[in-house]
Amino acid sequence: MEFLYEYGLFFAKTLTFVIAIAVIVAIIMGAAVKPKAKKGEITIDDLSEQLDDLKQSFIENTLSKKELKAHQKQQKTEAKKRQNDEPKSRLYVIDFNGSVDAHEVESLREEITAILTIADKEKDRVLVRLESGGGVVHGYGLAASQLQRLRNAGIHLTVAIDKVAASGGYMMACVANEIVAAPFAIVGSIGVIAQIPNFNKILKKNDVDFEQITAGEYKRTLTIFGENTDKGREKFKEEIEQTHGLFKTFVSEQRPSLDIDTVATGEHWFATQAFDKGLVDKIETSDDILLSQAKERQIFKVKYRIKKNLSDKLAVGLSSAVSKAGVTLMSRLKGLNP
C-alpha cells in the first residue's frame, strides 16, 4: 500500500509537469502568431419562450387529460385572436456582474449599442440585472455612462438589484428611471476608499535604500516603499474628498429627491431600509419583473460574448484536465492510504 501511495504521488507530479510544459509550449506558439484583436458576437435568448415552455411543461404535468384538452382548445382560440394584433413591445434584459476593475464594461458597451440600433423608445424598455460591490472609479464611471446612453435615447431603464449594488454599483444603478431591489439586497455605500501598505520601515531595518524620482510636487503623494510625509497624506486625503464630492454630485443629479448628505456617508443598507431613504423605488426581485412584463412584452436577453482563439481554448482545456486528473488521483490515493 505504501508503495502504491508513493507511486501515485510521483505519477501526479509527473503528470502535472508534463501538462504544464504543454501549456507553456501552446502559449509560446500562440505568441509567435501575429496577435489579432479579439472579436465577439451578440447573442439573443428569448426569455418569453423559456417562460412559456416552463408554463406549458407545468400545465402538462398537473392537469388531467380532460382539463388539458380544454386548455389546449382555449389556447388555439386565443392564438387566432392574436393573429391580427400588433407586435408586442419588447423588454431587453442585460446582466452586469461587476468585478473590482469593471472590465465587464466592454461587454456592456456592445450590448447597449446593439439595443440602441433597434429599440423603439416609445414602446421598448431595458432591464439591467445588476450585481456589484463596486471598484475603480474610472471603470464604474464609464459603466454608468453606458447606462446613461439609454436614458439619453429616451429608453426607459430599470435596474434590478437582487443581491448587491454598492459604491460603484450604486453609481450605475442611480442612472435608471426606476431602481428595484430584493428585500435583503445590499444598497448604498456612497463613499470612496483608498488604502496602501508601506514597507519603508522594513527596508530601513534591513539597510535597503529606496530611490524615487518625480517631476511635479504631487506626482506621487503616498508611496509603498518610500517614507510618506504629512503633506503627502493631506494631499492624498484631499483627492479622496474631491472624488467623493464628484460621486455625491452625480447621485444627486440622478436622484434629486435624495437627502444626499444623509445617504452619502459610505454606509450601506438592506433594500427595505434603502427604500425608506429613497435609494430604491420598489421592493421586488428581477424575477417578479420578468413575470409581470411577460404578459405585455416580448422579453429578450442580450449578451455579448468574446470568441476564444485556439490558444485560449487549449489553455482552458488543459487547466480543466489538470484539475480533474488531480482530484481523481488524490481521491484514489486517499482510499489507498491506510
Side-chain angles (χ1 to χ4, degrees):
M1 286 297 182
E2 186 67 25
F3 168 75
L4 290 175
Y5 180 71
E6 293 296 333
Y7 176 76
L9 287 178
F10 171 76
F11 179 75
K13 291 177 181 178
T14 304
L15 177 64
T16 303
F17 178 75
V18 170
I19 294 178
I21 292 296
V23 171
I24 293 171
V25 170
I27 293 172
I28 292 173
M29 290 177 65
V33 180
K34 186 177 179 180
K36 294 181 180 179
K38 287 187 176 181
K39 294 182 179 180
E41 59 182 358
I42 290 289
T43 60
I44 308 293
D45 292 329
D46 190 336
L47 297 187
S48 291
E49 183 178 351
Q50 292 178 18
L51 287 172
D52 287 341
D53 289 344
L54 179 65
K55 179 181 178 181
Q56 189 62 30
S57 176
F58 190 81
I59 287 173
E60 290 175 358
N61 285 280
T62 55
L63 297 184
S64 65
K65 289 184 178 180
K66 184 178 180 180
E67 291 171 330
L68 182 59
K69 189 175 180 179
H71 173 74
Q72 291 172 339
K73 185 177 180 180
Q74 183 182 356
Q75 277 187 314
K76 289 180 180 179
T77 303
E78 292 175 353
K80 287 181 180 179
K81 289 180 180 179
R82 289 196 299 267
Q83 285 180 349
N84 298 323
D85 290 349
E86 291 186 11
K88 280 185 176 182
S89 54
R90 297 172 176 176
L91 174 67
Y92 297 102
V93 180
I94 295 174
D95 287 332
F96 185 90
N97 297 317
S99 56
V100 173
D101 65 357
H103 66 272
E104 297 84 2
V105 73
E106 296 301 324
S107 294
L108 180 66
R109 170 191 281 132
E110 300 292 342
E111 291 157 0
I112 288 176
T113 297
I115 290 172
L116 288 175
T117 62
I118 194 172
D120 184 335
K121 69 178 182 180
E122 302 296 332
K123 298 179 180 180
D124 299 338
R125 293 189 171 195
V126 173
L127 168 66
V128 175
R129 296 187 290 196
L130 174 63
E131 183 177 340
S132 174
V136 294
V137 175
H138 56 281
Y140 278 91
L142 179 57
S145 297
Q146 293 300 323
L147 297 185
Q148 189 68 54
R149 294 172 62 200
L150 294 169
R151 293 293 307 274
N152 293 343
I155 298 174
H156 189 281
L157 171 64
T158 299
V159 165
I161 308 167
D162 286 329
K163 293 181 181 178
V164 57
S167 195
Y170 189 76
M171 181 188 290
M172 292 178 64
C174 72
V175 175
N177 297 86
E178 180 184 38
I179 302 175
V180 175
F184 288 96
I186 295 173
V187 180
S189 191
I190 304 173
V192 182
I193 183 173
Q195 46 194 357
I196 180 172
N198 183 265
F199 300 98
N200 184 253
K201 290 182 179 179
I202 296 176
L203 295 180
K204 283 184 175 180
K205 184 178 179 180
N206 292 277
D207 295 324
V208 178
D209 291 329
F210 174 74
E211 298 291 341
Q212 179 174 264
I213 310 300
T214 61
E217 184 179 3
Y218 295 116
K219 177 62 181 176
R220 179 71 65 221
T221 52
L222 295 184
T223 173
I224 296 178
F225 298 110
E227 186 172 357
N228 291 319
T229 64
D230 289 338
K231 190 174 184 180
R233 292 187 186 93
E234 296 228 355
K235 180 61 177 175
F236 191 77
K237 188 175 186 304
E238 179 185 328
E239 292 169 350
I240 294 296
E241 292 290 350
Q242 288 174 352
T243 304
H244 189 212
L246 290 172
F247 193 176
K248 290 167 63 176
T249 299
F250 182 80
V251 174
S252 293
E253 289 173 351
Q254 303 300 324
R255 296 181 72 86
S257 61
L258 279 176
D259 182 350
I260 194 62
D261 290 326
T262 299
V263 298
T265 58
E267 297 171 84
H268 63 266
W269 299 273
F270 290 117
T272 48
Q273 299 167 313
F275 174 79
D276 294 334
K277 296 179 181 296
L279 290 165
V280 301
D281 302 301
K282 192 182 293 185
I283 302 297
E284 63 180 9
T285 67
S286 62
D287 304 295
D288 296 323
I289 297 174
L290 293 181
L291 284 176
S292 63
Q293 290 291 311
K295 298 174 184 177
E296 56 185 89
R297 299 180 188 277
Q298 192 73 18
I299 305 175
F300 297 101
K301 180 182 174 182
V302 182
K303 178 69 178 177
Y304 180 75
R305 301 182 187 278
I306 297 176
K307 296 179 180 178
K308 293 180 180 179
N309 56 36
L310 182 59
S311 60
D312 290 336
K313 291 179 180 179
L314 182 59
V316 171
L318 288 172
S319 176
S320 176
V322 171
S323 178
K324 289 180 180 178
V327 171
T328 302
L329 183 58
M330 292 311 296
S331 63
R332 289 178 180 175
L333 289 174
K334 284 179 180 179
L336 290 172
N337 192 26

